[in-house]
Amino acid sequence: MQTGLHDYIGAMAKKPDSKNYKVVAENRRARYDFEIQEDLEVGIILHGSEVKSLRVGQSNIADSYASVDNGELWLTNAYIAPYEQAMFSHEPRAKRKLLVKSRELARMWNATKREGMTLVPLVMYFNDRGLVKLKIAIAKGKKNHDKRASDAKRDWSRQKQRILKNHD
């Protein structure tokens, strides 16, 4: 049996399991409260004590949001706990600048100002290179009847899985 080049490409394209990848904070409620249109990975400017605090895992992005102000993207109301051993501590709920390409920034500004969308942080994590990244979503808020419909859909899929599991 001969193997071709295409047999090896799948094995080479696999992303290596990284020890550096670690989820720091997750906004679990975002997918319930908002209809996600698109998500995007952005960088974040942090001080040294903030990064050390994130490595320990003391943060919360559940109440935070992103906004475009004066041509820059900002993360507001994200909580990063003060690092106890730091000589110069940081403010836990400071506005933090997000790093994004200008084309993406223009698209986000257009979505928020003209189309009435919201920029919602989904997850903060250390990527495979050990850098702090934030995944934000361009989203539209759900009404109560939309939330009930998504609840019903989720419940039905769970019930369907139970039926299929018990049937086997």
Side-chain angles (χ1 to χ4, degrees):
M1 183 160 93
Q2 245 183 348
T3 58
L5 179 63
H6 61 83
D7 294 332
Y8 293 109
I9 291 176
M12 289 189 295
K14 261 189 180 176
K15 199 172 185 179
D17 292 335
S18 175
K19 296 175 186 169
N20 293 333
Y21 184 83
K22 176 185 173 188
V23 174
V24 177
E26 190 173 7
N27 188 354
R28 294 173 185 249
R29 193 142 173 90
R31 296 196 188 274
Y32 179 74
D33 289 336
F34 296 95
E35 182 183 329
I36 307 297
Q37 303 291 325
E38 178 181 354
D39 60 351
L40 175 71
E41 181 184 76
V42 298
I44 183 168
I45 296 179
L46 297 171
H47 297 289
S49 62
E50 292 172 321
V51 176
K52 288 188 178 266
S53 182
L54 288 175
R55 289 214 186 272
V56 177
Q58 299 174 338
S59 64
N60 185 4
I61 59 170
D63 299 330
S64 62
Y65 61 95
S67 61
V68 179
D69 294 329
N70 297 329
E72 295 177 332
L73 188 62
W74 295 90
L75 178 65
T76 307
N77 206 26
Y79 177 77
I80 299 177
Y83 189 65
E84 297 300 324
Q85 288 88 9
M87 287 179 65
F88 304 106
S89 190
H90 62 274
E91 187 176 326
R93 293 211 180 261
K95 274 179 85 171
R96 294 172 176 88
K97 188 174 179 180
L98 300 176
L99 304 172
V100 65
K101 292 188 177 183
S102 58
R103 181 183 302 156
E104 299 293 334
L105 182 67
R107 196 162 46 92
M108 285 186 223
W109 182 87
N110 188 32
T112 56
K113 302 294 183 202
R114 293 187 180 164
E115 300 171 16
M117 301 287 212
T118 306
L119 299 176
V120 182
L122 298 176
V123 63
M124 184 184 291
Y125 58 94
F126 286 97
N127 69 359
D128 55 347
R129 292 177 46 206
L131 301 174
V132 178
K133 297 291 182 177
L134 182 71
K135 186 170 278 198
I136 61 172
I138 299 173
K140 181 179 273 190
K142 285 185 183 177
K143 306 282 188 226
N144 280 336
H145 65 276
D146 293 333
K147 291 179 187 179
R148 284 192 295 270
S150 63
D151 280 344
K153 184 178 177 184
R154 186 181 65 237
D155 290 343
W156 168 241
S157 67
R158 284 183 186 164
Q159 189 176 8
K160 191 167 51 172
Q161 289 298 324
R162 278 190 211 115
I163 291 170
L164 289 173
K165 184 178 175 184
N166 292 336
H167 184 59
D168 287 342

